[in-house]
Amino acid sequence: MKNHWDVVILGGGFAGLACAKRLEQLWGAEAAHRVLLINAENYFVFQPFLPEVIGASIEPRHVTNPIRFVLRHCTLMRAEVKNISLKDRQVTVDSADGLDVTHIEARQLVLALGSSTDLRAVPGMMEHALFLKTLADALSLREHIVRRLEEASLESNEERRKRLLQFVVVGGGYSGVETAGEILDLLHEARRFYRTLAPAELQVTLVHSGPHVLPELGEKLGRFTKATLEQRGMTVFVKQRVMSVSHDYLRLKDGSRLETHNVICTIGNAPNPVLAGLEGEYEKGKLLTDEWLRVKGYRDVWAIGDGAANPDGYGQRCSPTAQFATPLGKHAANNLVATLTQHTLQPFRYKMLGQMATIGHHKGVCSILGFRFSGFFAWWLTRTVHLLKLPGFDRKLRVVTDWTFELFFPPDLNYWDLRKTQKMARVHLEPGDVVFHQGERGKAFYIVEEGILEATRCDADGEILWKDEVRQGEHFGEGSLLHGLVRRVTVTAKTSATLLVFASKDFKLFVNLFQSLRQLLHDSAMRGPMEEALHSSVWSEELLNCPVRDLMRSPLITCSESSPIAEAVQQLGKVLRRSYCLLAPTGS
Amino acid sequence: MTESDLHRAAGNRQKFSDDVKNVASTEVVSLQSTQVVRDALRLFYMNEVKQAPVLDADGRPVGLLSYLDVALARLQSDKTGP
Ligand SMILES: Cc1cc2nc3c(=O)[nH]c(=O)nc-3n(C[C@H](O)[C@H](O)[C@H](O)COP(=O)(O)OP(=O)(O)OC[C@H]3O[C@@H](n4cnc5c(N)ncnc54)[C@H](O)[C@@H]3O)c2cc1C
């Protein structure tokens, strides 16, 4: 593939794809050798339908569309953008996971890489929450919910059941509300197949920091949404905030705890890391553009969509929605062609037509041209508008089929274990959280990334025999995995802490291959029981502190290196000892 | 050189006329004569051995300590103790 292009578009989301399509309209078949679109996947994801993937109303494949189908002429490169130089309009891409790095140069460079998620500000959120940004996120969230139902149906301990069946959605914006509504629908539908679960046990909670949910739609619709969701059994917290998340619960701003194993996070939009630190002007972490959509200070670099701060022509910034991303893409295409042909550029001006969301159970809320309404019609309209925007006739047809099926058949409750390939996970702990209890079977190996933990061993009456601290960089849990024994100790977090967790299977695979690591871990696994053996009442302090020279046997029976084995046998036999023949190294 | 070394030698069909150096263990853990029983027990435990040679300050072997010796001393102290 050539390395010099008239136009290089980075990102094949709403903005990038709209830009490429417009260029195809303007240039036709010529686009094939003039326009290169680089995207991390070879398909486009229609994000507004992701919540419906969770609710199992739409098949996952049907919310995506291969970019090669959508674009007839432009060249597609499926690769990860690694580096961008605005000055020379040069891009470094990696198409084979680190094996193959390519440099590409553009006359006109379009940045449409969208945004990413960053929740480092909330301890434990990155480690424990599930997200909803990519198709993989939506799929694993759906799998997660079904898995929890399976687990809970087998769990007899009430506390644990409660945690398994409490689903907390963080963020009351569009995706939060739609997701919470879809989860509620899925749980309602699935309930009849899990007869051991009582309806009251299935809980969905929505936590929102603002005074009312769906802030973009105004207070009235926000209140309506809240009331509708509550009527259906959801708990909705407003003016509330999640302060920390750990394996078993999350903590809210007012100090209260929500016991849950299921936190779904829809907040924390952050700039795409590839777009950070470029030689441009930023606003709230996003690349700032002028009214023609050029990155401030550059004639031939354009930035559009969620990753950019684009003026909307009415004194505001475009909101990070698909509704803006699409016209932004088109407009950037028009202006960059005008630049190449030395025509006059047009400033971008776009007013949002309206906003809409579905809130589950065939209800929706809409605000269109100042009109606000809710209910079934709003739901129908939202779905219809989204359907019309979904690229590709075949995809539209598939989605309609999915919806029709959904009317007559229960949701798909397959549980594919998509997490199989996950090798390592991180967990966040708050003080007092228990990693495992003495006597449990070992399931994982842990390395302390941050914080201090305490290992305690008790006797049968619960008396503490001894305790020890485990700190940053130290590890624990290898003993019962290596020797197939139960846990010898209970490990508890003393401070808030982060652990790297290796599941038993992956751990074994790794140490079985890595011999020297195995030896090291074997030694460290021995140390605990050994120290305990030394502490035990068998040996008196006096004996333990006795110099070895007072107990050793001497003089030694020796024989030279070159004596025959027979002589050694004789020597040993004389004293009737099993092994006391020592080979003096120098033969002395 | 230990009983196990002999065992292995027989297993390898080595003749009794072979040199001792061909069968004796070469990677041997050892104790310093100034170390205490606690160190010795740790050494036994970590290396899964039941005895080790004791070396003097110059690194010359001066004796041999086994787990059995320590256990015997424990018994002894029981008899003589309070
Ligand atoms: C759950 C959910 C529901 C939503 N619902 C609505 C809705 O109802 N209405 C609405 O208007 N908006 C909605 N949105 C917002 C809308 O999806 C976004 O505003 C829109 O996708 C932004 O388009 P974009 O092109 O800027 O970014 P994206 O669509 O995110 O596209 C960015 C592209 O860049 C690619 N990329 C990123 N980094 C790299 C890299 N380093 N190398 C190569 N490729 C890379 C990505 O793979 C992606 O294809 C929703 C969003 C979510 C998450």
Side-chain angles (χ1 to χ4, degrees):
Chain A
M1 194 182 276
K2 61 180 190 154
N3 293 343
H4 294 265
W5 295 81
D6 279 347
V7 182
V8 174
I9 303 171
L10 307 184
F14 279 94
L17 216 54
C19 182
K21 270 167 99 171
R22 179 71 189 142
L23 290 174
E24 289 195 343
Q25 279 171 1
L26 296 172
W27 289 344
E30 245 182 77
H33 60 91
R34 297 188 74 178
V35 185
L36 174 71
L37 183 129
I38 306 176
N39 195 52
E41 300 89 24
N42 80 343
Y43 54 84
F44 161 79
V45 183
F46 193 76
Q47 288 173 350
F49 275 157
L50 287 182
E52 297 209 31
V53 170
I54 303 164
S57 327
I58 303 182
E59 266 301 301
R61 269 170 205 272
H62 302 167
V63 304
T64 63
N65 206 348
I67 292 175
R68 293 179 197 277
F69 287 7
V70 182
L71 297 179
R72 309 209 152 219
H73 305 298
C74 294
T75 304
L76 170 71
M77 180 184 214
R78 193 218 64 82
E80 185 97 15
V81 176
K82 292 286 176 197
N83 262 307
I84 301 169
S85 159
L86 299 183
K87 212 164 69 242
D88 335 304
R89 296 183 302 285
Q90 265 192 12
V91 189
T92 314
V93 299
D94 176 349
S95 51
D97 301 316
L99 293 176
D100 202 7
V101 173
T102 317
H103 303 279
I104 291 164
E105 255 179 59
R107 280 177 72 193
Q108 299 290 323
L109 180 64
V110 183
L111 312 176
L113 290 168
S115 58
S116 70
T117 313
D118 184 7
L119 284 152
R120 274 171 296 186
V122 184
M125 190 69 98
M126 275 314 226
E127 293 81 4
H128 295 288
L130 294 150
F131 297 89
L132 188 57
K133 189 117 191 89
T134 64
L135 181 66
D137 291 341
L139 272 173
S140 49
L141 187 46
R142 201 180 81 93
E143 301 297 326
H144 176 94
I145 296 168
V146 181
R147 186 168 44 147
R148 287 303 190 224
L149 292 172
E150 295 292 346
E151 285 170 358
S153 68
L154 295 177
E155 179 63 70
S156 51
N157 178 303
E158 250 186 57
E159 292 278 294
R160 280 205 285 269
R161 246 166 104 114
K162 214 173 130 186
R163 282 201 288 264
L164 289 171
L165 295 174
Q166 164 80 271
F167 296 87
V168 182
V169 178
V170 186
Y174 285 114
S175 47
V177 168
E178 292 195 352
T179 303
E182 286 286 339
I183 293 177
L184 197 64
D185 282 357
L186 177 64
L187 294 179
H188 275 262
E189 286 282 328
R191 210 167 53 198
R192 60 192 159 114
F193 300 101
Y194 295 88
R195 278 181 292 271
T196 51
L197 306 180
E201 286 185 301
L202 302 163
Q203 287 291 330
V204 180
T205 303
L206 181 69
V207 182
H208 181 59
S209 58
H212 46 85
V213 297
L214 294 178
E216 301 87 345
L217 294 179
E219 188 178 341
K220 204 166 141 227
L221 286 180
R223 278 187 202 285
F224 169 83
T225 304
K226 181 167 181 278
T228 313
L229 294 174
E230 284 174 341
Q231 232 170 33
R232 298 192 54 220
M234 194 186 293
T235 309
V236 182
F237 289 125
V238 289
K239 296 191 198 159
Q240 213 22 301
R241 205 176 265 281
V242 175
M243 303 310 283
S244 70
V245 183
S246 77
H247 181 57
D248 299 339
Y249 63 92
L250 57 78
R251 199 175 283 288
L252 295 173
K253 192 173 66 175
D254 62 5
S256 59
R257 264 169 74 133
L258 274 178
E259 301 294 324
T260 179
H261 279 316
N262 318 298
V263 179
I264 298 114
C265 180
T266 63
I267 58 168
N269 246 343
N272 189 316
V274 186
L275 294 178
L278 303 180
E279 288 177 343
E281 215 177 296
Y282 286 87
E283 189 180 274
K284 291 187 187 155
K286 295 180 171 189
L287 266 178
L288 186 63
T289 68
D290 55 24
E291 68 222 86
W292 298 284
L293 308 180
R294 298 182 300 199
V295 173
K296 283 237 162 132
Y298 297 88
R299 268 194 68 235
D300 306 302
V301 185
W302 314 77
I304 45 177
D306 282 11
N310 298 120
D312 68 355
Y314 295 91
Q316 306 273 327
R317 299 279 174 251
C318 299
S319 66
T321 56
Q323 230 190 103
F324 271 109
T326 308
L328 280 167
K330 268 189 206 160
H331 199 87
N334 289 339
N335 272 352
L336 78 82
V337 171
T339 308
L340 289 172
T341 53
Q342 299 184 337
H343 283 82
T344 331
L345 306 190
Q346 297 298 322
F348 180 75
R349 266 168 86 84
Y350 186 83
K351 214 175 184 85
M352 233 203 242
L353 293 174
Q355 308 203 52
M356 42 182 61
T358 59
I359 59 177
H361 203 56
H362 301 181
K363 287 209 166 66
V365 284
C366 291
S367 161
I368 295 173
L369 301 169
F371 265 121
R372 292 180 177 184
F373 53 100
S374 54
F376 180 80
F377 179 65
W379 171 79
W380 179 85
L381 192 68
T382 308
R383 275 189 148 191
T384 309
V385 168
H386 283 164
L387 183 69
L388 293 176
K389 300 271 178 202
L390 179 71
F393 178 70
D394 73 308
R395 299 288 141 165
K396 288 189 179 72
L397 206 60
R398 285 172 200 251
V399 167
V400 171
T401 317
D402 287 344
W403 283 342
T404 317
F405 256 80
E406 187 212 1
L407 291 177
F408 302 104
F409 298 100
D412 197 345
L413 294 174
N414 282 339
Y415 155 42
W416 309 319
D417 196 354
L418 282 178
R419 290 163 169 255
K420 259 191 190 124
T421 51
Q422 189 170 346
K423 293 286 181 274
M424 185 192 83
R426 267 199 179 87
V427 298
H428 172 80
L429 303 164
E430 289 288 302
D433 288 354
V434 176
V435 183
F436 54 70
H437 290 99
Q438 186 175 331
E440 281 177 5
R441 279 182 60 82
K443 288 187 190 148
F445 164 71
Y446 306 85
I447 301 175
V448 184
E449 192 174 46
E450 224 182 301
I452 304 172
L453 293 99
E454 189 170 65
T456 358
R457 180 155 168 84
C458 296
D459 64 12
D461 302 323
E463 286 288 318
I464 294 181
L465 291 170
W466 59 265
K467 39 179 158 180
D468 203 5
E469 280 187 354
V470 198
R471 292 166 171 276
Q472 188 176 37
E474 294 177 342
H475 58 85
F476 60 93
E478 68 278 18
S480 60
L481 300 187
L482 287 172
H483 305 298
L485 304 171
V486 295
R487 297 292 191 199
R488 295 176 45 256
V489 293
T490 296
V491 178
T492 316
K494 254 184 124 168
T495 63
S496 38
T498 316
L499 304 179
L500 293 186
V501 186
F502 296 79
S504 166
K505 216 169 80 198
D506 306 321
F507 170 81
K508 283 182 187 157
L509 186 74
F510 197 56
V511 293
N512 281 343
L513 278 173
F514 195 170
Q515 286 297 331
S516 44
L517 178 69
R518 186 179 171 79
Q519 188 54 46
L520 210 81
L521 290 171
H522 178 77
D523 288 355
S524 70
M526 295 287 277
R527 205 158 286 136
M530 175 189 77
E531 290 302 331
E532 198 178 317
L534 293 186
H535 271 91
S536 80
S537 49
V538 174
W539 315 109
S540 66
E541 273 301 302
E542 196 189 337
L543 180 57
L544 289 175
N545 290 327
C546 169
V548 292
R549 85 172 84 77
D550 295 356
L551 290 188
M552 70 186 186
R553 305 214 169 200
S554 83
L556 287 164
I557 312 163
T558 57
C559 68
S560 109
E561 281 185 319
S562 48
S563 356
I565 297 174
E567 192 184 318
V569 175
Q570 257 175 2
Q571 292 263 31
L572 283 172
K574 250 190 246 165
V575 283
L576 274 184
R577 288 200 196 140
R578 293 189 142 192
S579 51
Y580 295 167
C581 184
L582 186 80
L583 182 70
T586 53
S588 62
Chain B
M1 162 119 177
T2 68
E3 201 176 22
S4 335
D5 294 334
L6 286 175
H7 213 192
R8 200 176 35 197
N12 293 344
R13 292 171 193 267
Q14 261 164 319
K15 296 215 179 71
F16 267 31
S17 53
D18 247 10
D19 281 3
V20 166
K21 66 167 179 254
N22 294 334
V23 289
S25 322
T26 45
E27 280 175 37
V28 188
V29 291
S30 60
L31 287 159
Q32 292 294 321
S33 59
T34 49
Q35 284 183 299
V36 293
V37 170
R38 189 191 304 277
D39 306 319
L41 289 176
R42 280 196 182 126
L43 184 90
F44 293 163
Y45 222 111
M46 296 302 288
N47 296 284
E48 295 179 80
V49 295
K50 295 188 209 77
Q51 72 258 321
V54 182
L55 310 183
D56 67 8
D58 303 325
R60 267 191 312 251
V62 289
L64 197 72
L65 185 78
S66 76
Y67 194 86
L68 188 66
D69 296 330
V70 181
L72 283 171
R74 160 77 223 287
L75 264 185
Q76 210 71 43
S77 71
D78 257 9
K79 281 182 195 149
T80 56

